[in-house]
Amino acid sequence: MRLLVVGAGATGGYFGGRLAQAGKDVTFLLRPKRAAQIREQGLTILATTGEFTVKPQVVTADQLRPEYDAILLTVKAFALEAALADLAPAVGPGTMVLPVLNGMRHLDVLSERFGAGAIPGSLCKVATTLDDQGRIKQLGPFHQLIYGERDGGITPRIQALDAFLQGATFTATLSTHIMRDMWEKWIMLATLGCVTCLMRGTIGEIEAAAGGVEFVNAVLEEILTIARLTGEAPGAAYVEETRKMLTTKGSGATSSMYRDLMGGLPIEADQIVGDLLKRARGAGIATPLLGAVYANLRVYQNRLEG
């Protein structure tokens, strides 16, 4: 199997780097400046288990051919449209496109462009960031890719992908309920992003504030209602695990959206929060807290764009 990884940022660089380290046939699709940097210096990952550098295969958009079995799409959700034009020449008749973007709206965009059959479900769980030298720093020990056919079937192509992804240090999991898995991640990610961004603090700081736990639980309940009525209901154990994580005393946990916001970077407000609101309004679900968070995030984003 041949895999194309779109982007060598915090997420794509981490998983692609791990696969390259394991000797898998991996190529990175990069912008010319990033491609030149990695060709010269390699791709360095500051993992929790130690630092390593690989020199992977690199291409730019003008060099692409439809010769890949799978494409791992790791760009930020607001960069999806621009990435589609770059990666389109790499998509052949049997190519799978595996997006690990936040939210769910990207599935519709990709299905419209390449056909629903080309887009299995997929998600990742990892905490990484890109430093000012272009190195990828792993912030926590967890690192998992989860993937599966959207109808839950076990097909030859998904089995081949699963075999390819095994043995690369991170946890690779073939799921027969990937849509529920994706909704569960969205629930956790959206709640974490909403509360940390609005309160401008860590989970531990929010928990320690008067009314903090009640606020977190109220936001979570609004998002759970949207999932149950418009998407896939999460498992009871997952809900309680998420609730516990979001209210842990002394926790330093934040969201990637919070880290981007504090760094003055663009954020995925529309994809993580706005799309939930759109689904809620379509179903007549009242979401006053989610609406307040989204307005707050749009003020920030509008200021950047303006």
Side-chain angles (χ1 to χ4, degrees), residues 72-274:
L72 184 63
L73 181 56
T74 67
V75 299
K76 289 285 189 180
F78 50 72
L80 176 59
E81 294 290 349
L84 290 183
D86 288 343
L87 70 87
V91 180
T95 304
M96 293 179 284
V97 181
L98 298 156
V100 290
L101 285 70
N102 293 324
M104 300 284 277
R105 191 164 65 181
H106 59 276
L107 291 180
D108 296 332
V109 175
L110 288 165
S111 295
E112 183 177 349
R113 181 66 180 268
F114 302 117
I119 320 297
S122 51
L123 64 100
C124 68
K125 297 180 180 181
V126 70
T128 50
T129 189
L130 202 64
D131 71 10
D132 56 6
Q133 298 178 50
R135 302 177 303 178
I136 296 152
K137 183 177 181 181
Q138 186 183 11
L139 303 177
F142 56 94
H143 47 185
Q144 185 179 21
L145 274 179
I146 306 173
Y147 41 88
E149 301 288 6
R150 286 199 262 174
D151 64 1
I154 300 296
T155 60
R157 69 172 187 174
I158 210 71
Q159 288 178 308
L161 176 70
D162 182 53
F164 175 82
L165 294 174
Q166 299 300 322
T169 306
F170 61 81
T171 304
T173 305
L174 173 57
S175 172
T176 56
H177 42 75
I178 192 64
M179 298 306 292
R180 187 185 74 188
D181 297 332
M182 292 177 70
W183 268 97
E184 287 181 344
K185 181 185 176 181
W186 195 7
I187 291 164
M188 183 278 295
L189 189 71
T191 308
L192 180 61
C194 283
V195 301
T196 56
C197 287
L198 187 63
M199 296 301 170
R200 300 295 196 272
T202 66
I203 287 299
E205 290 171 329
I206 297 167
E207 185 278 335
V213 171
E214 291 80 3
F215 170 69
V216 171
N217 282 322
V219 172
L220 177 59
E221 286 304 320
E222 285 190 2
I223 294 172
L224 285 171
T225 300
I226 297 169
R228 288 167 178 150
L229 296 181
T230 72
E232 295 278 343
Y238 184 85
V239 171
E240 290 314 306
E241 178 187 342
T242 300
R243 193 186 307 278
K244 181 179 178 181
M245 185 274 288
L246 293 168
T247 56
T248 299
K249 187 179 295 292
S251 171
T254 60
S255 64
S256 59
M257 186 160 64
Y258 169 84
R259 294 190 292 273
D260 287 341
L261 185 149
M262 297 305 290
L265 301 172
I267 57 174
E268 297 177 313
D270 294 336
Q271 294 80 10
I272 294 176
V273 184

